[in-house]
Amino acid sequence: MKKIVALGPEGTYCDVALKKYLKQINKTYEIDYYPSIFRISDYIDSNTLAIVPFENTLDGFVVEAMDQIIMNNYNIISQIKLDIDFAFVSNAKNLEDVKKIYVSFKALGQCSKFISENNFQTIKCDSNIEALNNLNRWDNSYGAIVPMHSLENVNFNLIIPHIADSKSNETRFFIISNEKIKEELTDEVEASLVITAKHDRPGLLFDILKCFDDLNINLKSIMSRPMKTEMGQYRFYFECSLYKDDIEILEMLKNMFKTNQDFILQILGVYNKL
């Protein structure tokens, strides 16, 4: 049986999103869990896919996942969106008694107002469920920020629900593979591209954007990421919206950049619009 890995342990939002995705496509995979988003490449192979958090409405892109996908040239198969909601829990009787809290690296950015208002010292974790599990090991001066759905099986003296900076909190996740796998596409699709400049020069970004404009491609987002080889060297991540019947325009774009020796273009994936 083919495998798919999610940021674990079981019960994380990544796990919830994965199970929602498997239900939508009506397929069965063996699910494994990996401890850190920085170790995706340790698990993906020809028989194993992965799901990663990629963008949050409050905290923006998950650059750790973006860099892993770009550097390993993974293929983006699909995307799925999930509502995100956090709670604060502790065995303390009063909020003032809590000095330190466990919080995942992404929940930290999504619950920054609550954390700042209470002047907590934060202890970062790789996942929300790890934060919950760590809390059980310490005294009442500790707390944790955990997913709302994890409260069903826990019992704490202090529970404060809905602590995210905004009620409009969503995360989208990418399903990724190290091979080109195509899923059935609907009429409206999106694509992820990476463009690497071989040499820095004035007008570099303008020339890149002009290619998109010449082909009338609707850009959704653009982000620069460091090459991590030399200071001041960057690559550019793009997302664009298309219709399924117009996907061949991406090959035209690719040919335009082949003609211009200053750039290298990678098509990371074409997937259904949410």
Side-chain angles (χ1 to χ4, degrees):
M1 180 185 295
K2 287 197 172 184
K3 294 182 179 180
I4 188 164
V5 293
L7 185 63
E10 187 175 4
T12 63
Y13 274 118
C14 199
D15 181 39
V16 174
L18 171 56
K19 289 170 181 174
K20 179 180 178 181
Y21 168 73
L22 294 178
K23 186 176 180 180
Q24 285 181 0
I25 64 173
N26 194 28
K27 291 183 179 179
T28 301
Y29 285 82
E30 180 182 339
I31 302 175
D32 284 342
Y33 300 96
Y34 60 95
S36 168
I37 202 167
F38 300 100
R39 294 182 57 192
I40 298 170
S41 57
D42 294 345
Y43 297 87
I44 296 180
D45 56 34
S46 59
N47 196 49
T48 306
L49 310 178
I51 180 170
V52 293
F54 197 79
E55 185 183 16
N56 176 262
T57 50
L58 304 183
D59 204 32
F61 285 112
V62 183
V63 294
E64 299 85 358
M66 181 183 291
D67 288 346
Q68 287 281 330
I69 292 171
I70 293 172
M71 290 187 295
N72 291 287
N73 198 25
Y74 288 139
N75 185 50
I76 301 168
I77 302 169
S78 186
Q79 63 178 338
I80 191 162
K81 186 165 60 176
L82 199 67
D83 291 330
I84 307 296
D85 196 3
F86 290 109
F88 172 81
V89 296
S90 175
N91 281 315
K93 293 185 178 179
N94 299 298
L95 187 61
E96 294 76 16
D97 297 331
V98 180
K99 306 303 179 186
K100 300 179 181 179
I101 65 167
Y102 288 101
V103 56
S104 76
F105 69 106
K106 292 311 294 179
L108 181 65
Q110 297 170 39
C111 304
S112 58
K113 184 177 179 182
F114 176 83
I115 293 170
S116 177
E117 287 176 346
N118 291 284
N119 198 30
F120 290 133
Q121 179 181 339
T122 58
I123 306 170
K124 296 179 184 177
C125 303
D126 285 327
S127 74
N128 298 306
I129 301 303
E130 181 187 335
L132 178 61
N133 293 338
N134 284 342
L135 180 58
N136 294 325
R137 303 171 186 168
W138 299 97
D139 60 37
N140 294 355
S141 65
Y142 286 76
I145 291 177
V146 301
M148 282 292 296
H149 64 256
S150 69
L151 299 181
E152 296 176 2
N153 301 312
V154 298
N155 185 22
F156 290 101
N157 292 327
L158 185 60
I159 298 176
I160 304 175
H162 315 305
I163 62 166
D165 294 346
S166 171
K167 292 181 180 179
S168 300
N169 190 13
E170 296 176 318
T171 295
R172 64 182 176 119
F173 300 79
F174 277 160
I175 311 296
I176 59 175
S177 167
N178 67 354
E179 297 180 337
K180 297 289 184 182
I181 299 175
K182 292 184 179 180
E183 290 198 343
E184 185 176 348
L185 297 175
T186 57
D187 289 338
E188 294 185 80
V189 299
E190 296 174 340
S192 291
L193 316 170
V194 172
I195 298 173
T196 304
K198 294 182 179 180
H199 308 285
D200 189 24
R201 60 172 173 77
L204 184 76
L205 185 56
F206 174 83
D207 287 346
I208 293 174
L209 294 175
K210 188 176 185 306
C211 291
F212 285 93
D213 183 61
D214 287 346
L215 293 174
N216 198 32
I217 297 175
N218 181 26
L219 280 176
K220 283 185 54 191
S221 59
I222 175 174
M223 186 172 186
S224 61
R225 294 299 301 146
M227 295 283 291
K228 302 186 178 181
T229 55
E230 184 180 345
M231 184 71 73
Q233 296 298 310
Y234 290 85
R235 54 169 62 95
F236 300 94
Y237 173 83
F238 294 88
E239 288 186 1
C240 56
S241 298
L242 301 162
Y243 288 99
K244 183 174 67 173
D245 294 340
D246 298 329
I247 291 177
E248 64 272 10
I249 203 170
L250 295 178
E251 289 301 320
M252 297 172 61
L253 182 68
K254 197 171 185 178
N255 290 332
M256 290 176 71
F257 282 106
K258 277 184 179 179
T259 303
N260 190 328
Q261 298 299 313
D262 285 344
F263 306 104
I264 300 172
L265 182 143
Q266 299 167 256
I267 300 176
L268 297 176
V270 179
Y271 40 86
N272 287 325
K273 184 176 181 179
L274 291 173

